[in-house]
Amino acid sequence: MGAATLPHIYRSVDIDRFPKPPRNEAQRPEALAVTARVATIPVVLISAAALIRDCLARCLAAPDLNYTLHGYASVDEWHPADLAVPMTILLCATGDRATERAICDDIAKLKAKAPASRIIVLSDAEDAVLVRRAVEQGAQGFVGMTFNLDMAAAAIRLVQAGERFVPVTSLLAAQAAPMPASDKGALCQALTQRQIDVIDRLRRGESNKIIAYKLDMSESTVKIHIRNIMRKIKARNRTEVAILTKDLFD
């Protein structure tokens, strides 16, 4: 009997090397213990601080997390070996200036090198404006250094699964922060008066049917207005419309 080849996720087992039971013992086949190969999850970590790179690499390589980190001091130092393989990249920055530079320059460089990559900004600057800009520039996640290791690992897994992650505190701060005058003016110019009227009623929690009745238009016209409003202000639902336009009515 030769070596039995099992599926590739298992180790091959040479059955002939196992001791055979004596003839007078029951000829019952013994179950063979086979260990599955659990592939580690590759993550690229870019940080100018060698200590941060080393600490994160050791922490995330823990058996229960199962990550393999490859650290680089800068975006220019990293050269992806296989562009067809989507990579998860932790872009680390400390301080407002470094974070802003990472958001404004490094995300674009990473996207140019590996368009399919999923980028997570890791920073001690959790300003709501920086978080929003990071997402606008193409990052799929933003992890603050106030997070513990388990929270950071969960955020990484969420992003790897195709979702986006930003701190709730940053979202709440962004909702509470007043809109800059320049943004408010641009928003007013992008929207028609009729669309602003629809937003006003929508923010009051009124249904499309009630909005149509109060503004003397058909319900289908209200739906078209809301669809166009969402496209113009990049909102995904009615709740985001209400949040993104709150300064128009304050």
Side-chain angles (χ1 to χ4, degrees):
M1 185 183 297
T5 303
L6 299 179
H8 69 279
I9 62 170
Y10 298 103
R11 291 183 300 182
S12 296
V13 180
D14 190 345
I15 297 178
D16 283 339
R17 296 183 61 185
F18 282 78
K20 296 179 175 58
R23 289 176 179 267
N24 60 351
E25 289 187 14
Q27 301 296 312
R28 183 175 56 85
E30 297 292 336
L32 302 181
V34 197
T35 304
R37 288 179 181 169
V38 180
T40 57
I41 303 168
V43 175
V44 172
L45 172 63
I46 298 175
S47 173
L51 182 59
I52 292 177
R53 294 199 308 271
D54 187 47
C55 288
L56 279 175
R58 294 185 184 210
C59 290
L60 291 175
D64 55 329
L65 297 178
N66 204 39
Y67 289 109
T68 301
L69 263 76
H70 305 277
Y72 301 89
S74 68
V75 174
D76 295 331
E77 187 180 296
W78 176 58
H79 299 286
D82 188 353
L83 292 176
V85 178
M87 296 297 300
T88 301
I89 303 171
L90 294 182
L91 182 57
C92 184
T94 53
D96 290 348
R97 288 188 178 180
T99 302
E100 191 165 347
R101 184 167 57 251
I103 292 170
C104 294
D105 300 329
D106 291 344
I107 291 177
K109 288 181 181 179
L110 290 170
K111 286 294 184 183
K113 282 190 173 187
S117 62
R118 304 192 66 79
I119 301 169
I120 303 171
V121 176
L122 178 63
S123 174
D124 60 346
E126 297 182 46
D127 180 77
V129 174
L130 290 175
V131 174
R132 185 180 67 183
R133 287 178 62 188
V135 174
E136 289 174 348
Q137 292 299 317
Q140 282 73 35
F142 194 105
V143 173
M145 291 189 184
T146 55
F147 284 36
N148 61 36
L149 183 62
D150 289 338
M151 292 168 62
I156 295 171
R157 291 191 183 278
L158 189 66
V159 169
Q160 286 177 324
E163 302 294 333
R164 288 188 177 184
F165 178 87
V166 294
V168 173
T169 52
S170 297
L171 284 177
L172 295 175
Q175 293 174 15
M179 181 185 295
S182 57
D183 290 354
K184 186 173 181 178
L187 188 58
C188 288
Q189 290 180 1
L191 299 169
T192 67
Q193 184 56 51
R194 205 60 169 156
Q195 288 172 342
I196 292 175
D197 293 340
V198 170
I199 293 171
D200 184 29
R201 310 312 309 186
L202 180 149
R203 286 176 53 80
R204 298 168 192 258
E206 296 175 357
S207 66
N208 290 349
K209 186 174 183 179
I210 298 299
I211 294 174
Y213 172 76
K214 291 190 175 180
L215 296 181
D216 193 23
M217 62 176 70
S218 68
E219 192 172 346
S220 60
T221 302
V222 173
K223 291 180 181 178
I224 292 172
H225 277 310
I226 293 176
R227 191 159 54 241
N228 289 335
I229 290 166
M230 291 171 63
R231 176 179 54 81
K232 286 181 178 181
I233 67 175
K234 295 180 173 59
R236 292 172 296 181
N237 51 51
R238 295 167 73 97
T239 301
E240 287 192 359
V241 170
I243 292 171
L244 294 172
T245 60
K246 69 182 183 64
D247 290 282
L248 293 177
F249 305 95
D250 289 346

